[in-house]
Amino acid sequence: DAGVTQSPTHLIKTRGQQVTLRCSPKSGHDTVSWYQQALGQGPQFIFQYYEEEERQRGNFPDRFSGHQYPNYSSELNVNALLLGDSALYLCASSLASGLTFNYGYTFGSGTRLTVV
Amino acid sequence: AQKVTQAQTEISVVEKEDVTLDCVYETRDTTYYLFWYKQPPSGELVFLIRRNSFDEQNEISGRYSWNFQKSTSSFNFTITASQVVDSAVYFCALSAVDSWGKLQFGAGTQVVVTP
């Protein structure tokens, strides 16, 4: 049973460019959340997708956007990259019914984004 | 607003010693959930334990135990008889009951277990 799969694992981009990160949720999961983890810090919630719509969002600018497809996979897009966007981006999946009772997520291994 | 504080940045122990990780939280919610996650060098966050705010019973699960004290807003985590494979960053996290699982993480504590 595959867990959460993220691609690519590592990425280097230039300031001002745009990037797309991809996530395939664990089999059977329908909700995807994205977290940004800067070096030496805890993950910060970016947003959550359910039924192909953004259900809730953290304190991140509009440069961060996302999408969820009918097969529940998801993308995170970041426009106009800044040096401060360098971080590990974690995707987490769950069942919506499980989140009602805060059963928690299954996390992927993340995409390490470096902006130069 | 929610806040999770892990004051210990790094703890180093010798194998077989016990390790206790401190976590203090702030929330205005009356009902919430607390979690501990482990992040090995590979990067993925591994779920360890979950505790709801209306159940202060402390439990032991294998080599893991936790001490939840609502009166002091603390949720400490202990690894008994540590092993080298326990070396990782450990995160305490908080989630309000109506937040659809949105997690507020602490900054993490690096645990280093040497043989």
Side-chain angles (χ1 to χ4, degrees):
Chain A
D1 179 22
V4 177
T5 304
Q6 293 188 242
S7 63
T9 55
H10 294 83
L11 200 55
I12 300 176
K13 287 288 189 177
T14 302
R15 189 172 45 185
Q17 286 188 316
Q18 178 265 344
V19 68
T20 297
L21 311 181
R22 295 177 174 80
C23 172
S24 293
K26 181 178 179 179
S27 178
H29 284 181
D30 57 9
T31 301
V32 173
S33 299
W34 288 91
Y35 287 78
Q36 179 196 65
Q37 186 179 11
L39 194 63
Q41 298 182 23
Q44 298 291 319
F45 177 78
I46 302 176
F47 43 52
Q48 182 181 80
Y49 276 83
Y50 172 66
E51 292 187 337
E52 302 178 49
E53 291 191 357
E54 183 182 291
R55 179 158 64 183
Q56 57 177 327
R57 187 181 184 91
N59 188 26
F60 279 80
D62 292 343
R63 298 188 297 108
F64 290 77
S65 63
H67 189 80
Q68 185 180 36
Y69 294 92
N71 66 353
Y72 308 119
S73 66
S74 177
E75 291 179 352
L76 163 65
N77 301 293
V78 186
N79 295 321
L81 284 167
L82 304 174
L83 297 179
D85 295 331
S86 295
L88 179 68
Y89 288 85
L90 293 164
C91 172
S93 72
S94 182
L95 269 173
S97 57
L99 290 178
T100 303
F101 300 101
N102 291 70
Y103 282 138
Y105 303 111
T106 299
F107 280 85
S109 296
T111 294
R112 173 72 63 186
L113 172 65
T114 302
V115 182
V116 297
Chain B
Q2 299 178 332
K3 183 178 181 181
V4 177
T5 301
Q6 295 179 252
Q8 304 152 309
T9 54
E10 182 171 330
I11 299 176
S12 295
V13 298
V14 177
E15 206 169 19
K16 297 184 182 178
E17 290 183 338
D18 295 347
V19 180
T20 295
L21 308 179
D22 298 335
C23 174
V24 175
Y25 62 91
E26 298 174 26
T27 180
R28 296 177 183 173
D29 298 298
T30 55
T31 307
Y32 47 89
Y33 291 84
L34 295 162
F35 299 80
W36 277 96
Y37 280 87
K38 173 183 179 180
Q39 187 175 43
S42 54
E44 82 276 15
L45 285 165
V46 178
F47 167 81
L48 296 177
I49 59 172
R50 162 184 173 270
R51 171 60 65 195
N52 61 55
S53 59
F54 46 88
D55 182 359
E56 292 193 61
Q57 180 180 353
N58 296 309
E59 295 183 15
I60 297 173
S61 176
R63 295 188 300 110
Y64 298 151
S65 63
W66 49 95
N67 186 347
F68 174 40
Q69 294 192 355
K70 201 169 182 178
S71 60
T72 57
S73 297
S74 66
F75 185 51
N76 298 336
F77 177 71
T78 297
I79 305 170
T80 301
S82 61
Q83 301 173 2
V84 173
V85 294
D86 295 327
S87 296
V89 181
Y90 290 80
F91 291 96
C92 180
L94 170 69
S95 179
V97 72
D98 59 352
S99 69
W100 289 100
K102 174 184 171 182
L103 290 165
Q104 178 70 44
F105 285 90
T109 298
Q110 173 79 57
V111 173
V112 179
V113 182
T114 54

